[in-house]
Amino acid sequence: MIKEMRTVEFVVLPASKAKARKMFQIAGACRYVWNHFREKNLADYQAFKNGKAQRPQTSFFSLGAEFTKLRRETDWMQELPCAPVRYSLKYLSDALGQAMAGNKGFPKPRSRAKTAPGFTLPDTCNFRIRKVNGKYSLLHIPLVGWVTLTRKGGNPHEAGDPKQVVLRHDGHRWRAFVSYEIEEEEKMDDGEVLGVDMNVRQIATSDGDFYHLPDLEKKEKRRKWYQRKMARQVKGSNRRGDTKKKLRKVSRKITSIRKNWVHQTTKEISGKCGTMVVEDLKVKNMTASAKGTVENPGRNVRQKSGLNRAVLDTAFGEVRRNLEYKCGRLIKVNPAYTSQTCSRCGHAEKENRKTQARFQCVSCGFVSNADTNAAINIRRLGMAQLHGEGTGISTVPMNRETDARLPHGS
Ligand SMILES: [Zn+2]
């Protein structure tokens, strides 16, 4: 048995207006202490950056001690639970640490308009979760009381030990993200290996199956339309407020459709066998490179951002992350030439790829769906890596002549 963390998302029904108001107050207090301690540390940070001072003390422990003082002096804060507000400094401490290390910029202030209200119930704050029936559970938030948690399809990790709850308001309703520690059987290695090819519009597996992305074009168009409409409207006007609400609603819908699709698809794929092979694409780097930096602006920004949108649309990162924990073993292979190599004879040539969808080998005449062919190649590379035979023997071009015809890194 191994211990793992799993997060389950619920919709929160606060049961009364007073409880909902209190939740917003806690979130407001979190924002207040974030901004307070952010500002307090700004001068120290700048002095440290200019080499004029020692690195300031920004651990969660030291910030927490200062918070205790602040809370004692602030009347309105005493009516709110201590632990969740204090815990927002954990996030600030992490962000300050990243800034001091030079990995990221100084944390930004949190504003009422731009930051989604939310707070975290850490393990230390004695929250309780009680099951009512298959559909509903109750969550006890200190100084707020019992609120109802509900989730379509019930709670898959009911038997787990809840360690932390993140509460966030998405502009429409409160949501709770409960992290459960669960004990899981180690996944059986059945010896089967499946190759997974992720393309812009679909996922193909080496056994010939396809998983098409949900069609979100209509909703994306509507989202764009609202965005443009909002840009024309007068700031602060009621009409603009209405448009903003509608925009948020369609954005939420898009996110939830995509999220559900990722979960269902990865569950189905990982149910097929224990070992998955995926392309080692650095999705993050691909998306980061287009904009470039201020000193070195990226080239082909427009073309690339189109592609990036599409890449993001498929939510590859999420698919990968989900496969990683849902299947027993995930092997990442170098994707070079996988789309141009014949999965039957190993002949690699650009001409093999007739169209985006069709693969036809110019050497042996093998015809297949281009993505399925790629998935089979990915599977083979994974097998080679698994059995220690080096990588990509069959996919490296045999002579220079072929090499010259192949675009690099595709
Ligand atoms: Zn061939």
Side-chain angles (χ1 to χ4, degrees), residues 342 344-347 361 363-366:
C342 171
R344 189 160 77 183
C345 73
H347 182 74
C361 179
S363 174
C364 76
F366 174 71

Side-chain angles (χ1 to χ4, degrees), residues 181-192:
E181 188 178 75
I182 56 159
E183 292 206 347
E184 232 183 36
E185 300 252 357
E186 263 175 274
K187 279 154 195 139
M188 291 289 289
D189 191 358
D190 52 8
E192 286 292 316

Side-chain angles (χ1 to χ4, degrees), residues 44-71:
D44 285 347
Y45 165 77
Q46 280 163 344
F48 168 69
K49 271 275 145 171
N50 299 330
K52 285 178 190 146
Q54 289 280 312
R55 186 186 165 128
Q57 211 20 280
T58 56
S59 66
F60 177 39
F61 185 80
S62 62
L63 290 178
E66 286 182 65
F67 167 72
T68 312
K69 269 188 249 161
L70 175 77
R71 185 168 187 265

